[in-house]
Amino acid sequence: MSEREIVCTVCPRSCRVKAKETGGAYVFEGYSCKRGLGHAQSEVENPMRMLTSAVPIARATVRMLPVISEATIPKAKLHDCLEALYKVRVDSPVAAGQVIVKDICGTGVDVIAARSMKRK
Amino acid sequence: MKTEHVDIAIIGGGPAGLAAAIEAKRQGVEKVCIIERDTDLGGILQQCIHDGFGLKRFGKQMSGGQYAEAFIEELAHTDVDVRLKTMVTKITEDRRIFAVNEREGMICLNCGAIILAMGCRERSRNQIQMPGARPSGVMTAGAVQRYINMEGYLPGKKAVILGSGDIGLIMARRMTLEGIAVEGVYEVMSGPGGLTRNIVQCLGEFDIPLHLSTTVTRVFGKERITGVEVSAVDADRRPIAGTERRIDCDLLVLAVGLIPENELSKGAGVELDARTNGPVVDQDFMTSAPGIFAAGNVVAVFDLVDYVSDTGEMAARGAAAYLRRADSAEIADARGGDEASIIRTIAGTDINFIVPQKLNAGKRESDINLFLRVKKTGENQKIRMVCKGASVSECREAFVAPPEMLVAKLAGSADLDDDLRLNLEANQ
């Protein structure tokens, strides 16, 4: 049996949820609402995160273009995705929402431009 | 000097200014102008590439740029005049704006109303009296954010963060992801300054330690910073002798608080609130200077951009109504009421500040949101609003804490004939 604590980030109350595991099944204690329970469950079973970063852009008013994943990706793949993004270079102009990397690292999620950038 | 008339001029094209401009057009105001010193609209949102914006307003997780883009896109469908790369040098009490840009030189705008939306500034090293040398490599979290996210520079290899404000926490994660080793976060207070979710998501996830009741007591290095000395502090925040520890680093990041930016406001003689460091405003977000309004972090530092946009819209509705009153000439004084019909909101038991600070007496057309911060942490609390000893309204809160701004709704039907006191109480 193992136990871990998850500080809930669903609301400011920040409940400390205990997840107790026995034979692959989890029991949760200390949450105050259904959303908190759901959050704790996904944190132990399959934690997901948004991916945000910036990639170099040529001939724009600033040197970096902010990018974001269109949906959450598995936390375990975050590092690989960032490594992939480090290699990306784009050229201006870019429209907000334009796909920068399609299906990043086989997650099925596209990484898009978070803003528009005109050519300088 | 080129002189022009505008109905509403908005100083600052960040989230408060963008929301104000769009709302002013919705209200039917003809000539609306945004003056922005940067090359693009969006303000500080453009360097906030992390997600977590817009949950309240758009019901989804957006990055700062995406949040800004939603407003910039809407603004593009209006005829709002956007003057980029234009710096306001002075505003006057009679609503004239002096500004300068490379196309027009010095310009003067005569304004029906002005909305101050300059945002806030970070507290810098000079404001926290940090002893030691003055090497390079000591910078604010916002500067680090701009270097990494917009300019594409890594400002160091090993960082120490002083202060646990939200931008510092966000940058602890961002620097880690970019390969900068973050040794730890040091906070002089006994509790963290930032939101719990940021402590969890930005420090906890990356095993970055948070040292409370500890501060930086020395900076080492001559040309470039080579390290810092940290010390534990006592209850009065005085360093405790014998607790000093040296940490080698080439970057010291300051996340020690934000201050509303009001140099221009002061020039116009606007009354400031010593607690918020921003202008005293009424329910329309009008300052003490008639026709000069304020919105967003100029007024008080908000923790959610969604609230900043809300105040931009409130100020724009107020400014539009002010222009209508001034036009109709029914009321000689376009303030819309005499001083006697104005009451104050008073921060009572365990309340740190309230915005707006002034309200119209009597009843109001609709409910009003009061933005406030509390002084202590607690569960199952309520904000009680008291007028002349009688309770007129109350709001329950499951959880309160100083870093979390609260919004308490004051019923429009509440009849106020004296100052309104807000108290934090246990909910029984």
Side-chain angles (χ1 to χ4, degrees):
Chain A
M1 193 180 121
S2 69
E3 186 181 308
R4 61 177 275 212
E5 188 185 78
I6 296 136
V7 179
C8 183
T9 52
V10 171
C11 86
R13 194 164 178 178
S14 314
C15 293
R16 290 175 180 275
V17 184
K18 281 200 169 66
K20 290 178 184 167
E21 187 249 25
T22 337
Y26 284 95
V27 178
F28 299 92
E29 281 171 22
Y31 59 90
S32 313
C33 68
K34 260 196 261 177
R35 288 173 67 206
L37 175 61
H39 174 76
Q41 278 170 337
S42 74
E43 277 300 281
V44 293
E45 283 159 15
N46 185 23
M48 303 289 282
R49 296 287 182 272
M50 291 294 285
L51 169 68
T52 66
S53 192
V55 298
I57 181 166
R59 295 183 284 181
T61 49
V62 291
R63 290 172 53 183
M64 303 297 281
L65 171 75
V67 296
I68 187 167
S69 55
E70 274 209 289
T72 54
I73 60 165
K75 185 182 164 186
K77 290 217 166 177
L78 214 52
H79 189 78
D80 290 347
C81 292
L82 282 166
E83 285 295 331
L85 280 177
Y86 289 142
K87 299 185 187 89
V88 173
R89 301 284 180 275
V90 294
D91 194 6
S92 66
V94 168
Q98 184 178 322
V99 175
I100 302 299
V101 181
K102 198 155 179 59
D103 180 19
I104 188 158
C105 298
T107 55
V109 175
D110 294 344
V111 171
I112 58 170
R115 64 172 287 193
S116 307
M117 272 190 196
K118 287 192 203 111
R119 179 157 293 192
K120 190 161 84 176
Chain B
M1 182 169 56
K2 186 173 167 185
T3 303
E4 226 175 84
H5 171 83
V6 296
D7 295 319
I8 298 181
I10 298 158
I11 306 178
L18 287 168
I22 292 165
E23 182 63 25
K25 288 313 291 183
R26 272 193 218 115
Q27 294 291 321
V29 178
E30 208 169 310
K31 291 189 83 177
V32 180
C33 168
I34 295 180
I35 307 169
E36 168 58 50
R37 67 179 176 187
D38 207 341
T39 53
D40 293 279
L41 290 169
I44 217 70
L45 284 171
Q46 300 292 19
Q47 66 183 54
C48 298
I49 67 165
H50 55 283
D51 68 314
F53 298 86
L55 260 184
K56 285 194 194 279
R57 183 169 276 260
F58 297 104
K60 58 177 179 179
Q61 295 271 10
M62 306 161 95
S63 69
Q66 286 180 308
Y67 188 92
E69 191 81 20
F71 287 86
I72 294 168
E73 174 65 27
E74 198 175 343
L75 190 79
H77 296 292
T78 69
D79 62 355
V80 170
D81 174 29
V82 179
R83 282 187 154 91
L84 294 172
K85 294 202 276 180
T86 305
M87 184 82 183
V88 174
T89 55
K90 187 182 177 179
I91 59 174
T92 65
E93 216 169 335
D94 58 352
R95 300 187 302 280
R96 279 183 302 154
I97 294 177
F98 294 93
V100 61
N101 66 40
E102 58 190 20
R103 283 169 291 108
E104 301 164 294
M106 192 84 184
I107 55 172
C108 174
L109 302 178
N110 293 313
C111 313
I114 294 174
I115 299 177
L116 307 170
M118 296 87 73
C120 59
R121 267 180 197 281
E122 295 177 280
R123 218 173 240 128
S124 66
R125 179 174 177 174
N126 299 327
Q127 285 150 309
I128 55 168
Q129 290 158 20
M130 186 190 295
R134 291 279 185 275
S136 68
V138 181
M139 60 189 88
T140 64
V144 175
Q145 192 176 43
R146 188 171 172 103
Y147 279 138
I148 297 179
N149 294 347
M150 294 183 82
E151 317 271 352
Y153 299 114
L154 292 183
K157 291 188 176 72
K158 187 181 172 195
V160 164
I161 301 178
L162 175 62
S164 55
D166 287 307
I167 315 164
L169 302 175
I170 297 283
M171 290 318 295
R173 172 176 64 186
R174 184 80 185 115
M175 287 192 287
T176 306
L177 292 176
E178 288 295 328
I180 299 174
V182 179
E183 195 275 341
V185 177
Y186 296 84
E187 169 59 57
V188 71
M189 306 298 280
S190 57
L195 303 172
T196 309
R197 60 176 169 277
N198 285 334
I199 304 273
V200 174
Q201 291 167 352
C202 301
L203 301 186
E205 293 228 330
F206 300 95
D207 299 315
I208 300 167
L210 170 62
H211 305 272
L212 296 171
S213 299
T214 312
T215 194
V216 171
T217 42
R218 247 180 105 179
V219 173
F220 299 105
K222 203 171 171 197
E223 296 296 317
R224 178 79 192 184
I225 183 171
T226 56
V228 295
E229 176 193 84
V230 296
S231 304
V233 299
D234 64 18
D236 297 319
R237 285 182 260 159
R238 280 185 306 240
I240 301 168
T243 62
E244 304 87 354
R245 180 162 69 89
R246 188 187 158 127
I247 304 162
D248 291 333
C249 64
D250 63 354
L251 178 62
L252 174 61
V253 180
L254 303 176
V256 288
L258 302 168
I259 315 165
E261 168 55 51
N262 278 292
E263 288 308 308
L264 289 171
S265 326
K266 283 181 201 163
V270 164
E271 179 191 352
L272 297 184
D273 179 336
R275 293 210 207 192
T276 56
N277 288 309
V280 170
V281 293
D282 68 12
Q283 60 195 40
D284 292 329
F285 281 77
M286 186 160 84
T287 68
S288 63
I292 301 183
F293 294 74
N297 286 351
V298 151
V299 180
V301 177
F302 290 82
D303 33 65
L304 295 183
V305 69
D306 310 61
Y307 293 153
V308 166
S309 303
D310 289 349
T311 63
E313 290 168 350
M314 288 157 90
R317 284 193 290 271
Y322 173 87
L323 292 177
R324 285 194 293 270
R325 285 199 301 273
D327 269 354
S328 71
E330 282 166 23
I331 307 164
D333 178 4
R335 289 181 75 92
D338 53 83
E339 272 299 321
S341 67
I342 301 289
I343 60 145
R344 292 234 164 201
T345 54
I346 296 176
T349 314
D350 291 322
I351 306 284
N352 191 10
F353 71 73
I354 306 162
V355 169
Q357 293 89 343
K358 291 193 268 185
L359 296 172
N360 290 343
K363 295 179 183 177
R364 287 145 309 280
E365 279 170 29
S366 53
D367 297 348
I368 283 182
N369 282 338
L370 302 177
F371 299 94
L372 59 106
R373 278 190 203 280
V374 297
K375 288 184 181 169
K376 63 170 196 185
T377 301
E379 279 197 46
N380 200 18
Q381 303 279 304
K382 68 181 160 195
I383 310 289
R384 184 182 288 287
M385 307 184 198
V386 182
C387 185
K388 271 195 177 160
S391 180
V392 293
S393 203
E394 63 175 57
C395 283
R396 288 186 188 178
E397 295 289 343
F399 176 84
V400 300
E404 309 270 352
M405 181 175 267
L406 300 178
V407 183
K409 202 176 279 287
L410 169 67
S413 58
D415 197 356
L416 306 175
D417 56 355
D418 200 357
D419 290 348
L420 184 72
R421 181 177 287 271
L422 270 61
N423 298 321
L424 182 68
E425 298 176 358
N427 187 21
Q428 276 139 7

